[in-house]
Amino acid sequence: MIVTELHEARARLTDEILNALSVVMFTGAGLSTEAGIPDFRSPGSLWTVHKPIPFEAFRASPAARVEAWRRKFAMDDSYAGARPTIGHAVIAELARTGRVGAVITQNIDGLHQASGVPEHKLIELHGNGTYASCLDCGLRHELAEVRPRFEASGEAPACRACGGPVKSATISFGQAMPEREMRRAAKAALECDLFVAAGSSLVVHPAAGFPSAARNAGARLVIVNREPTPLDHEADLVLRCEIGPLFSVLSAGGTS
Ligand code: NAD
Ligand code: ZN
């Protein structure tokens, strides 16, 4: 069933959450557009102005690494100050009060952490762009220390421990998915009784496989997105609405 009217969508989403024992929230870039971070598809979005730098090119070429870091900091500047939305706040509240057992996100903006989703409930499938790590030894590097060095030297940052290439802690095209997160996400999808996909076009794989996996394992599948997705026909309920106005009905303890 597809619902486009906000009041009906709010009532149905509330019912779904109240009737579920264990909810998984699966989020995409659409959750953060209200924070001012464009999703992947917006025309002119910095995500799409440049052809992405594949992982192998980053590893192999110092010039590609310099270009990747230049773009990374330009993007950070244009989205600086982005704060969690009402959607993030509601999801965090449901996770803290126990109704939501796991938050699986494709987002790399760190806004789920900023809104207070407990760490053990958060699964970041595509990494996190708010810090960096060494590709060789895995050591974490803070952007506040990487950036001045990069800007002063014009050279791609190297690991202070082993000299290996330092990269934003996100998963690039061509880079292996993080094994632990994939395992945690698969487990959460198989164990929940309600899987809510919110703000994702559901075309980026393997992440987009989790909604179907949950449904095939017996969960109800609810898709919240302003545009149609290729999985709408599999969903028990499609809420074709703006996330903020829809999710705000779940705030203030109404479902805890
Ligand atoms: P996507 O851009 O492919 O899809 C986002 C969907 O959200 C679109 O279908 C759009 O119609 C919908 N949408 C946007 N704003 C909405 C709103 N306010 N209410 C309801 N629907 C809304 O994003 P994706 O499926 O997450 O895949 C994009 C990939 O790019 C991901 O892998 C992600 O890692 C990366 N990305 C991340 C961010 C971020 O971290 N904020 C932003 C852009 C891209
Ligand atoms: Zn290292």
mmCIF file of all heavy atoms in Angstrom, residues 134 137 159 162 164, ligand 2:
data_model
loop_
_atom_site.group_PDB
_atom_site.id
_atom_site.type_symbol
_atom_site.label_atom_id
_atom_site.label_comp_id
_atom_site.label_asym_id
_atom_site.label_seq_id
_atom_site.Cartn_x
_atom_site.Cartn_y
_atom_site.Cartn_z
ATOM 1 N N CYS A 134 44.343 5.190 8.721
ATOM 2 C CA CYS A 134 45.457 4.737 7.886
ATOM 3 C C CYS A 134 45.045 3.459 7.164
ATOM 4 O O CYS A 134 44.531 2.525 7.786
ATOM 5 C CB CYS A 134 46.685 4.478 8.760
ATOM 6 S SG CYS A 134 48.008 3.649 7.861
ATOM 7 N N CYS A 137 47.714 0.481 8.649
ATOM 8 C CA CYS A 137 47.679 -0.038 10.029
ATOM 9 C C CYS A 137 46.356 0.256 10.728
ATOM 10 O O CYS A 137 46.113 -0.222 11.835
ATOM 11 C CB CYS A 137 48.842 0.506 10.847
ATOM 12 S SG CYS A 137 48.638 2.218 11.359
ATOM 13 N N CYS A 159 50.468 8.321 7.477
ATOM 14 C CA CYS A 159 50.240 7.890 8.856
ATOM 15 C C CYS A 159 51.438 8.247 9.751
ATOM 16 O O CYS A 159 52.582 7.996 9.384
ATOM 17 C CB CYS A 159 50.017 6.383 8.872
ATOM 18 S SG CYS A 159 49.807 5.700 10.523
ATOM 19 N N CYS A 162 53.001 4.591 10.758
ATOM 20 C CA CYS A 162 53.632 3.660 9.820
ATOM 21 C C CYS A 162 53.927 4.274 8.458
ATOM 22 O O CYS A 162 54.506 3.605 7.594
ATOM 23 C CB CYS A 162 52.754 2.413 9.648
ATOM 24 S SG CYS A 162 51.316 2.686 8.587
ATOM 25 N N GLY A 164 51.841 4.933 6.127
ATOM 26 C CA GLY A 164 50.861 4.502 5.115
ATOM 27 C C GLY A 164 49.922 5.637 4.722
ATOM 28 O O GLY A 164 49.864 6.673 5.393
HETATM 29 ZN ZN ZN B 2 49.494 3.486 9.696
#
